[in-house]
Amino acid sequence: MARAWADVDLRAVAANVEALRERSAPAEVCAVVKADGYGHGAVPVARAAVEAGATWLAVAQVTEAAELRAAGLAVPILLLSEPRPDEVMAALEAGAAVTVGGTDLLPHLTAAASPGSPVPVHLKVDTGMHRLGVAPADVVAVARAIHEHEALSLDAMWTHCAVADEPDHPFTAQQLARYDAAVEAVEAAGIPVPLRHAANSAAAIAHPASRYDLVRCGIAVYGIPPAPALADRLPLVPALRLATEVSALRSVPAGDGVSYGLHHRVAEDTVVATLPIGYADGVTRALGLAGQAVLVGGRRCPMVGAVTMDQVM
């Protein structure tokens, strides 16, 4: 038996997807399952999300798309970042829709495309987050380069919201206005845009104007509000419980310190429990000094002292 483990509730994943579908309708839900489904297990989470009504999946890396296909998932998969040139063939073999944020990747896509099977391209517009995407001034030229090549298909245009988790921040409206203007410019050039998407979890929950045809939901699928300000906006069920067992008890006299640096000193005679889990398992080292609590037999107890590699007190 493992000394520490994660319990994942796929029923919670399904409930969260259903809640996001209801909030975002008629837009469809794309469940983001990158980074091994946010550590929950990409394949089982993807299956639960699709069964609950998600019509798309999204990943960050080509290998993640290939894993989903190998597991038999047949829904559309969006690759959120541009693949490297040496990954293009694998991306196409996985049947992924490919994000494009400029023209550099286009020759590699056209060279790898199969005759009669144009590569589905989602053109990303940089509306102000400045991470990836085409500048609005260049979007028509890039869209035309995609549209006019028979090996490519402009299936969508999208963008990403930088501050949607701050519901009153005006920048989200500015981003959406820039995105709308970019789409309008492309369509005015005679290039159809079949699918539009901009919303992440926060935008899907709090910004109706961002929902368009598809919402890309990551953290909310796993039951975590994107920000404290959104905690009451949509009922979400946490899908993961990190668990372990008490491995030792110590009676610590008043005034003694606990753990490395002896930064925490008990004010009175205290029973300290040791748990066999630590920062090697992802429990951030500073949490003990910050007073993060754990549940012991249903009772909330604060961590004391610095988290060590494989133990906390």
Side-chain angles (χ1 to χ4, degrees):
M1 179 106 182
R3 59 181 176 79
W5 62 94
D7 293 323
V8 178
D9 185 354
L10 295 177
R11 294 170 300 178
V13 169
N16 296 329
V17 169
E18 290 171 359
L20 290 162
R21 284 180 58 209
E22 291 178 5
R23 173 60 62 93
S24 302
E28 299 180 9
V29 170
C30 172
V32 181
V33 294
K34 62 183 179 180
D36 194 28
Y38 287 50
H40 295 65
V43 169
V45 165
R47 287 176 176 153
V50 170
E51 290 173 2
T55 57
W56 279 75
L57 299 170
V59 296
Q61 300 185 44
V62 174
T63 53
E64 296 172 327
E67 178 188 17
L68 297 177
R69 290 294 187 230
L73 286 147
V75 298
I77 297 173
L78 172 61
L79 188 60
L80 294 167
S81 301
E82 285 192 349
R84 297 193 312 264
D86 64 340
E87 296 177 314
V88 165
M89 184 59 72
L92 302 191
E93 290 173 352
V98 179
T99 286
V100 165
T103 57
D104 290 349
L105 190 66
L106 300 186
H108 302 283
L109 293 175
T110 57
S114 300
S117 298
V119 178
V121 172
H122 285 222
L123 176 59
K124 186 170 186 180
V125 186
D126 181 3
T127 57
M129 187 164 170
H130 300 315
R131 182 173 64 176
L132 293 170
V134 180
D138 301 325
V139 73
V140 172
V142 179
R144 183 175 288 113
I146 297 168
H147 178 68
E148 292 181 351
H149 204 296
E150 62 180 11
L152 306 175
S153 172
L154 180 62
D155 283 11
M157 286 177 60
W158 69 287
T159 194
H160 195 69
C161 296
V163 292
D165 54 353
E166 301 177 44
D168 299 323
H169 201 299
F171 189 63
T172 298
Q174 295 176 33
Q175 282 194 272
L176 296 179
R178 293 170 183 171
Y179 172 74
D180 288 339
V183 173
E184 290 170 5
V186 168
E187 292 189 324
I191 304 169
V193 180
L195 186 71
R196 307 176 187 192
H197 52 103
N200 52 14
S201 290
I205 292 170
H207 299 275
S210 72
R211 293 170 188 154
Y212 298 103
D213 304 310
L214 187 72
V215 297
R216 307 179 310 273
C217 297
I219 194 69
V221 167
Y222 307 95
I224 307 300
L230 302 180
D232 297 329
R233 297 288 188 97
L234 188 70
L236 298 171
V237 184
L240 185 145
R241 183 182 74 128
L242 190 60
T244 185
E245 297 178 339
V246 173
S247 59
L249 295 174
R250 291 289 181 273
S251 295
V252 180
D256 274 15
V258 178
S259 195
Y260 288 124
L262 304 179
H263 297 297
H264 178 91
R265 293 188 179 275
V266 298
E268 57 188 20
D269 292 350
T270 303
V271 175
V272 174
T274 299
L275 310 179
I277 187 171
Y279 61 78
D281 307 291
V283 181
T284 304
R285 197 165 192 265
L287 289 179
L289 301 178
Q292 172 68 42
V294 302
L295 295 176
V296 181
R299 177 183 174 187
R300 190 168 294 275
C301 301
M303 293 183 188
V304 291
V307 173
T308 66
M309 180 175 278
D310 50 18
Q311 293 177 319
V312 303
M313 281 61 72

